Tab-separated table of all heavy atoms in Angstrom:
chain	number	residue	atom	x	y	z
A	63	VAL	N	223.083	155.840	82.313
A	63	VAL	CA	221.891	155.623	83.140
A	63	VAL	C	221.079	156.932	83.070
A	63	VAL	O	221.626	158.011	83.329
A	63	VAL	CB	222.284	155.274	84.588
A	63	VAL	CG1	221.020	155.127	85.433
A	63	VAL	CG2	223.106	154.009	84.636
A	64	VAL	N	219.829	156.793	82.682
A	64	VAL	CA	218.964	157.979	82.499
A	64	VAL	C	217.628	157.761	83.182
A	64	VAL	O	217.230	156.640	83.467
A	64	VAL	CB	218.733	158.290	81.000
A	64	VAL	CG1	220.027	158.640	80.301
A	64	VAL	CG2	218.045	157.155	80.290
A	65	ARG	N	216.940	158.879	83.416
A	65	ARG	CA	215.562	158.790	83.884
A	65	ARG	C	214.685	158.272	82.763
A	65	ARG	O	215.020	158.391	81.599
A	65	ARG	CB	215.053	160.176	84.352
A	65	ARG	CG	215.835	160.688	85.543
A	65	ARG	CD	215.271	161.985	86.047
A	65	ARG	NE	215.424	163.026	85.047
A	65	ARG	CZ	214.753	164.158	85.044
A	65	ARG	NH1	213.877	164.430	85.980
A	65	ARG	NH2	214.964	165.076	84.116
A	66	ASP	N	213.562	157.687	83.103
A	66	ASP	CA	212.666	157.084	82.093
A	66	ASP	C	212.274	158.064	81.008
A	66	ASP	O	212.166	157.703	79.856
A	66	ASP	CB	211.418	156.492	82.756
A	66	ASP	CG	211.752	155.268	83.584
A	66	ASP	OD1	212.809	154.631	83.366
A	66	ASP	OD2	210.944	154.930	84.468
A	67	VAL	N	212.110	159.334	81.337
A	67	VAL	CA	211.689	160.328	80.365
A	67	VAL	C	212.769	160.622	79.321
A	67	VAL	O	212.461	161.155	78.254
A	67	VAL	CB	211.246	161.664	81.021
A	67	VAL	CG1	210.050	161.439	81.927
A	67	VAL	CG2	212.386	162.302	81.793
A	68	ASN	N	214.014	160.250	79.609
A	68	ASN	CA	215.114	160.545	78.689
A	68	ASN	C	215.550	159.354	77.835
A	68	ASN	O	216.468	159.470	77.051
A	68	ASN	CB	216.307	161.072	79.471
A	68	ASN	CG	216.060	162.425	80.073
A	68	ASN	OD1	215.285	163.227	79.535
A	68	ASN	ND2	216.658	162.694	81.217
A	69	VAL	N	214.888	158.234	77.979
A	69	VAL	CA	215.305	157.018	77.243
A	69	VAL	C	215.209	157.218	75.747
A	69	VAL	O	216.158	156.965	75.021
A	69	VAL	CB	214.497	155.783	77.709
A	69	VAL	CG1	214.783	154.607	76.813
A	69	VAL	CG2	214.798	155.462	79.153
A	70	ASP	N	214.055	157.642	75.269
A	70	ASP	CA	213.834	157.749	73.811
A	70	ASP	C	214.805	158.735	73.159
A	70	ASP	O	215.397	158.453	72.121
A	70	ASP	CB	212.401	158.153	73.498
A	70	ASP	CG	211.421	156.994	73.732
A	70	ASP	OD1	211.872	155.837	73.709
A	70	ASP	OD2	210.227	157.277	73.925
A	71	LYS	N	214.981	159.906	73.770
A	71	LYS	CA	215.877	160.883	73.136
A	71	LYS	C	217.340	160.423	73.185
A	71	LYS	O	218.109	160.725	72.269
A	71	LYS	CB	215.730	162.274	73.747
A	71	LYS	CG	216.316	162.506	75.098
A	71	LYS	CD	216.127	163.948	75.520
A	71	LYS	CE	216.769	164.253	76.860
A	71	LYS	NZ	216.641	165.660	77.204
A	72	THR	N	217.701	159.625	74.209
A	72	THR	CA	219.067	159.103	74.271
A	72	THR	C	219.290	158.062	73.186
A	72	THR	O	220.260	158.113	72.454
A	72	THR	CB	219.329	158.503	75.658
A	72	THR	OG1	219.085	159.486	76.666
A	72	THR	CG2	220.766	158.006	75.777
A	73	VAL	N	218.370	157.119	73.083
A	73	VAL	CA	218.494	156.065	72.064
A	73	VAL	C	218.445	156.661	70.669
A	73	VAL	O	219.211	156.305	69.778
A	73	VAL	CB	217.385	155.007	72.249
A	73	VAL	CG1	217.348	154.024	71.076
A	73	VAL	CG2	217.579	154.252	73.556
A	74	ASN	N	217.545	157.634	70.411
A	74	ASN	CA	217.457	158.254	69.117
A	74	ASN	C	218.715	159.012	68.733
A	74	ASN	O	219.131	158.984	67.585
A	74	ASN	CB	216.261	159.211	69.060
A	74	ASN	CG	214.938	158.442	69.021
A	74	ASN	OD1	214.897	157.287	68.629
A	74	ASN	ND2	213.877	159.091	69.459
A	75	ALA	N	219.358	159.665	69.716
A	75	ALA	CA	220.629	160.355	69.441
A	75	ALA	C	221.702	159.345	69.023
A	75	ALA	O	222.472	159.629	68.091
A	75	ALA	CB	221.054	161.151	70.677
A	76	ILE	N	221.733	158.215	69.667
A	76	ILE	CA	222.728	157.200	69.334
A	76	ILE	C	222.428	156.631	67.947
A	76	ILE	O	223.323	156.523	67.100
A	76	ILE	CB	222.757	156.056	70.403
A	76	ILE	CG1	223.251	156.623	71.727
A	76	ILE	CG2	223.601	154.883	69.917
A	76	ILE	CD1	223.022	155.678	72.896
A	77	LEU	N	221.165	156.243	67.705
A	77	LEU	CA	220.817	155.636	66.415
A	77	LEU	C	221.081	156.590	65.245
A	77	LEU	O	221.615	156.195	64.195
A	77	LEU	CB	219.342	155.223	66.423
A	77	LEU	CG	218.963	154.080	67.318
A	77	LEU	CD1	217.441	153.816	67.246
A	77	LEU	CD2	219.729	152.828	66.989
A	78	LYS	N	220.709	157.837	65.417
A	78	LYS	CA	220.838	158.812	64.337
A	78	LYS	C	222.281	159.026	63.934
A	78	LYS	O	222.592	159.172	62.756
A	78	LYS	CB	220.229	160.140	64.792
A	78	LYS	CG	220.089	161.184	63.694
A	78	LYS	CD	219.261	162.355	64.157
A	78	LYS	CE	220.184	163.485	64.579
A	78	LYS	NZ	219.485	164.699	64.925
A	79	THR	N	223.190	158.985	64.894
A	79	THR	CA	224.585	159.312	64.580
A	79	THR	C	225.473	158.090	64.383
A	79	THR	O	226.477	158.183	63.686
A	79	THR	CB	225.213	160.214	65.664
A	79	THR	OG1	224.998	159.595	66.921
A	79	THR	CG2	224.587	161.577	65.663
A	80	ALA	N	225.123	156.953	64.963
A	80	ALA	CA	225.993	155.772	64.853
A	80	ALA	C	225.695	154.905	63.635
A	80	ALA	O	226.496	154.085	63.262
A	80	ALA	CB	225.874	154.934	66.125
A	81	GLN	N	224.543	155.114	63.024
A	81	GLN	CA	224.114	154.237	61.939
A	81	GLN	C	224.794	154.599	60.629
A	81	GLN	O	224.795	155.749	60.202
A	81	GLN	CB	222.598	154.362	61.760
A	81	GLN	CG	222.044	153.409	60.759
A	81	GLN	CD	220.530	153.564	60.639
A	81	GLN	OE1	220.017	154.655	60.623
A	81	GLN	NE2	219.834	152.426	60.628
A	82	THR	N	225.396	153.580	59.994
A	82	THR	CA	225.975	153.737	58.649
A	82	THR	C	225.183	152.945	57.635
A	82	THR	O	225.329	153.168	56.449
A	82	THR	CB	227.433	153.263	58.617
A	82	THR	OG1	227.473	151.863	58.799
A	82	THR	CG2	228.299	153.983	59.637
A	83	GLY	N	224.383	151.986	58.111
A	83	GLY	CA	223.623	151.124	57.227
A	83	GLY	C	224.388	149.890	56.802
A	83	GLY	O	223.903	149.072	56.027
Side-chain angles (χ1 to χ4, degrees):
V63 178
V64 296
R65 295 185 296 161
D66 290 339
V67 298
N68 292 329
V69 171
D70 287 337
K71 75 177 183 177
T72 304
V73 171
N74 289 337
I76 294 167
L77 292 178
K78 189 170 100 174
T79 52
Q81 186 178 44
T82 67

